[in-house]
Amino acid sequence: MALDLSVKLGPLELASPLMTASGCSGYGKELDRYHDLAVYGALVGKSISRNPRLGNDYPRTAETAAGMINAIGLQNEGYEAFIKNTLPRMRGFGPKAVVNVVGHDFDEYVWLVERFDAEEGVAALELNLSCPNVKGGMRFASDPGECEKLVAACRAKTQLPLIAKLSPNVTDIAEIAKAAERGGADILSAINTLVGMAVNWKRREPLVANYTGGLSGPAVKPVALRCVWQVANAVKLPVIAIGGISNADDVLEFMVAGASAVQLGTILFVEPDAGQTIHAGLKERLIEAGVKRISELVGTLKPRA
Ligand SMILES: Cc1cc2nc3c(=O)[nH]c(=O)nc-3n(C[C@H](O)[C@H](O)[C@H](O)COP(=O)(O)O)c2cc1C
């Protein structure tokens, strides 16, 4: 049976529904040594800001039950170095290159979007609206008015497919999704990490120097599924699922719940070749289920019989 794993997310067409999640595998070269990256439809790089950032104090990651906490604090080399050294390589791996941008403030986001619009070989821009580990970093992800204004200002600066990445750390994620849609986003991605904490009681210390950090991995998958389902039902835009996705069945659960594509994050720390394993697993599952085109499964969740 000829299988079709391609997906279309509005203006963004991908040969495979698998993408990398920002911050979990660098910019391509970190994974390239493990397998042919053609199993990915797109690579999403770690958030890029205007100037280089050193990030938070160490330690910045800790393992927790079924997941991890990170408070990296958006360390990155900054726009100039990225376009000079990293973006050219990122474009060369085969999958489309998606640039994830983050700003300290409104103007920095808009500045970055305008600059990347002029760069060759950028397939889409993902706005990291939430930076839970950075002071004041939650405004655009939690206030619908602020979110809409920011997305609209970014929209005005680019023709590239624009992805708004949503945070689960809000009362009603559907409201924020609608605001991003009104602002002119083409695609929504969800979720970023959940604010969490881990403590060593004997030392009376937090496990990460920042005290709190973002929880990710299998522990967050049910929350991510709920968010993706709510968002997909609230907007007309295609949705990219992120959160604890670790195998082919996870991917298909999110697609049935409304996702058109998925991003792999924390699993890549455990199994750097997960993209390859999951891609093969998807083919097996589709054959078992007699489904030729993976896109047929998107949003097919129905009430229990
Ligand atoms: C170590 C680490 C660094 C991350 N850095 C970023 C980042 O720079 N920008 C961003 O938008 N998301 C970042 N994330 C969030 C992931 O892209 C993803 O949304 C989240 O981890 C949930 O997916 P997962 O459970 O599959 O990891 C980071 C996550 C981790 C674990």
Side-chain angles (χ1 to χ4, degrees), residues 20 25-33 37 43-45 86 89-90 93:
T20 54
S25 57
Y27 303 94
K29 76 171 166 25
E30 297 79 357
L31 290 185
D32 187 51
R33 72 189 76 157
L37 295 184
L43 302 176
V44 184
T86 307
R89 281 188 78 177
M90 193 181 166
F93 290 113

Side-chain angles (χ1 to χ4, degrees), residues 17 38 50 54 63 89 157 189 202 221 233-234 258 271:
R50 182 175 185 154
L54 291 173
E63 194 167 339
R89 281 188 78 177
K157 297 289 183 196
S189 58
K202 289 181 183 156
K221 192 188 118 187
N233 282 303
E271 295 173 30

